[in-house]
Amino acid sequence: MALNARTEDYIQQPAVPRKPSQQQSIRKKGLITKGEKILYTTFVAVCIMCALLVLQNQATIQASTQEIQKIEQSVNETTKQNTDLSVQVSELSSYSRIWSKAKELGLKLNEQNVKVVPGQ
């Protein structure tokens, strides 16, 4: 009987029907909003563009350095050739060599026909 008495103490409230339209219109919000997604993708795109620009500049610098090295090498070779040629000129223009070539060709020294040219 005590059990029956206890159940009578509770007041039953009428059931309130819930509106199904309210439940459907409430959506769970995402952790990242649409604006944040746009900002994140823009930031990533800017970072990628900066990385590509850095790589492009490095490639340009490397190409320029290689070109400079090639030019320096050609300048060194030309300088070496010029030095070798100037040594050959000094050897070929020596007085003893010219005198020996003149004797081979049958030329004789005529003191009266010699003109003196001022030196350099």
Side-chain angles (χ1 to χ4, degrees):
M1 221 163 66
L3 291 175
N4 287 340
R6 190 180 274 174
T7 57
E8 292 175 9
D9 290 339
Y10 291 110
I11 301 172
Q12 292 183 348
Q13 294 182 354
V16 178
R18 293 188 180 183
K19 296 180 183 177
S21 62
Q22 286 181 349
Q23 289 178 350
Q24 291 176 354
S25 65
I26 297 175
R27 295 180 185 173
K28 289 186 177 181
K29 289 187 176 180
L31 296 175
I32 300 174
T33 63
K34 186 176 182 180
E36 289 175 341
K37 288 180 183 177
I38 292 172
L39 286 175
Y40 290 147
T41 54
T42 304
F43 177 73
V44 169
V46 167
C47 287
I48 290 172
M49 290 298 292
C50 288
L52 290 175
L53 287 174
V54 167
L55 289 175
Q56 181 183 9
N57 287 338
Q58 289 295 327
T60 304
I61 289 170
Q62 185 177 6
S64 299
T65 304
Q66 288 177 351
E67 192 173 326
I68 289 170
Q69 288 176 349
K70 286 179 183 178
I71 291 171
E72 286 178 350
Q73 184 179 8
S74 68
V75 166
N76 288 338
E77 289 176 5
T78 306
T79 305
K80 184 178 177 183
Q81 287 176 355
N82 286 343
T83 305
D84 292 342
L85 290 174
S86 65
V87 168
Q88 284 181 0
V89 165
S90 65
E91 288 175 358
L92 293 175
S93 65
S94 68
Y95 179 76
S96 60
R97 182 185 173 282
I98 293 174
W99 183 247
S100 65
K101 283 291 186 180
K103 281 186 178 180
E104 286 177 14
L105 295 173
L107 297 175
K108 296 181 183 176
L109 181 61
N110 186 356
E111 298 274 339
Q112 297 173 355
N113 198 13
V114 175
K115 294 182 181 179
V116 178
V117 180
Q120 295 179 355

